Amino acid sequence: MKLGIMQPYFFPYIGYWRLIQSVDRFVVYNDVDFIKGGWINRNRIMINGEPRYLTIPLQGASANKKIFEISLQPSEKWRKKMLKTLQNTYQRSPFFTETYAMCEEILGFESINLSDFLGNQLNVIVKRIGIDTSIQHASSKYGNDHLHGQTRVIDICVREGATTYVNPPGGESLYESGAFSDNHIQLRFINSSPVKYTQKSSEFVPNLSIIELLMELGFEGVKSYINEYTLYRKI
């Protein structure tokens, strides 16, 4: 059984969704420390030919808190403003109507808990792009946050009965194959192929938010790219 583990991100790029697609079960790592300036509450879209951030405003955000302990700002103003930004940016894109309706659903989710909000977003998008991987949230199951780094990841793999752990290439510097094989787990990394499409910019910018791709390619178009990856061993 292939297992993936990753923090929840806001409208993450296609490589995140390919990771979910590549495994049988995906663990949303929502009981680790919040990272300021990362991808948990922001991502980039193309605005006026330049990559710009869409950011969820938070209250009480701190690197000393777990992701599931953080709240969104309760005001509706930022949600309406973000929808207006998406409308102004993409209203002439070929798949604006269907993607904008999905964004309305996601941004209209009533919970102000960051983890719940991102978890709902994940569930909505995986359905739209045809991923049927089983999804588990770490904070509701393992109770092993006294462990850290590779040790904790291996503990989750063992509990889930995983035979293969799949991680993005950045994990090559974090994980040792021997530690996984000692627990009868194969360590693999995912190599995500580039996606080319007509982008409203003078120079192509890769790895923008999945919203950018959905606006330009639609749900079916993104589905056609979702399996464009390979798995490899650490050398």
Side-chain angles (χ1 to χ4, degrees), residues 15-26 122 126 131 133 135 190:
Y16 188 98
W17 306 100
R18 284 171 168 165
L19 174 62
I20 299 175
Q21 171 72 359
S22 73
V23 297
D24 303 297
R25 186 167 302 155
F26 182 77
L122 189 153
V126 295
I131 296 174
T133 298
I135 296 173
I190 185 168

Side-chain angles (χ1 to χ4, degrees), residues 9-11 34-45 47 51-59 61 71-73 75 77-83 85-86 107 114 117-118 121 209:
Y9 294 150
F10 183 51
F11 290 149
F34 175 77
I35 301 172
K36 286 189 173 182
W39 301 109
I40 295 170
N41 70 313
R42 67 177 187 168
N43 220 298
R44 299 179 305 158
I45 61 172
I47 300 178
R52 304 291 185 191
Y53 285 105
L54 285 179
T55 303
I56 302 173
L58 306 174
Q59 60 179 11
S71 298
L72 316 180
Q73 286 188 9
S75 171
K77 291 182 179 179
W78 70 265
R79 300 174 193 251
K80 294 177 180 179
K81 182 179 178 181
M82 190 175 291
L83 285 170
T85 297
L86 292 174
L107 292 173
L114 175 61
F117 180 88
L118 295 176
Q121 166 213 249
S209 166

Side-chain angles (χ1 to χ4, degrees), residues 32-231:
V32 293
D33 292 340
F34 175 77
I35 301 172
K36 286 189 173 182
W39 301 109
I40 295 170
N41 70 313
R42 67 177 187 168
N43 220 298
R44 299 179 305 158
I45 61 172
M46 192 63 67
I47 300 178
N48 297 325
E50 298 290 337
R52 304 291 185 191
Y53 285 105
L54 285 179
T55 303
I56 302 173
L58 306 174
Q59 60 179 11
S62 167
N64 296 319
K65 289 185 176 181
K66 308 299 184 186
I67 296 170
F68 74 91
E69 297 174 325
I70 294 175
S71 298
L72 316 180
Q73 286 188 9
S75 171
E76 294 295 313
K77 291 182 179 179
W78 70 265
R79 300 174 193 251
K80 294 177 180 179
K81 182 179 178 181
M82 190 175 291
L83 285 170
K84 189 64 175 178
T85 297
L86 292 174
Q87 183 178 34
N88 291 340
T89 302
Y90 292 112
Q91 58 189 337
R92 292 184 177 84
S93 294
F95 298 94
F96 168 77
T97 300
E98 64 181 47
T99 305
Y100 185 80
M102 182 196 73
C103 292
E104 283 186 308
E105 178 185 349
I106 289 170
L107 292 173
F109 186 67
E110 292 184 356
S111 175
I112 64 167
N113 179 272
L114 175 61
S115 179
D116 290 347
F117 180 88
L118 295 176
N120 176 71
Q121 166 213 249
L122 189 153
N123 291 334
V124 170
I125 296 178
V126 295
K127 289 178 182 177
R128 293 293 204 287
I129 59 179
I131 296 174
D132 59 3
T133 298
S134 171
I135 296 173
Q136 170 69 45
H137 294 263
S139 64
S140 64
K141 185 171 185 179
Y142 303 109
N144 63 354
D145 56 1
H146 60 287
L147 302 176
H148 300 282
Q150 176 175 272
T151 302
R152 189 177 184 199
V153 167
I154 290 175
D155 182 65
I156 293 173
C157 288
V158 170
R159 292 183 187 215
E160 292 289 349
T163 55
T164 302
Y165 175 61
V166 182
N167 201 251
E172 285 195 46
S173 62
L174 302 175
Y175 302 123
E176 292 296 330
S177 299
F180 284 82
S181 61
D182 287 346
N183 288 276
H184 311 288
I185 303 163
Q186 296 180 347
L187 177 62
R188 296 290 182 269
F189 298 94
I190 185 168
N191 181 33
S192 189
S193 302
V195 178
K196 290 288 186 178
Y197 61 98
T198 301
Q199 198 176 76
K200 297 179 180 70
S201 62
S202 58
E203 184 174 341
F204 189 85
V205 180
N207 298 332
L208 296 178
S209 166
I210 192 68
I211 296 303
E212 168 87 6
L213 287 185
L214 289 170
M215 289 288 189
E216 303 301 340
L217 301 176
F219 298 124
E220 293 303 318
V222 169
K223 284 180 185 180
S224 70
Y225 281 107
I226 206 69
N227 288 305
E228 297 295 319
Y229 63 84
T230 56
L231 300 181

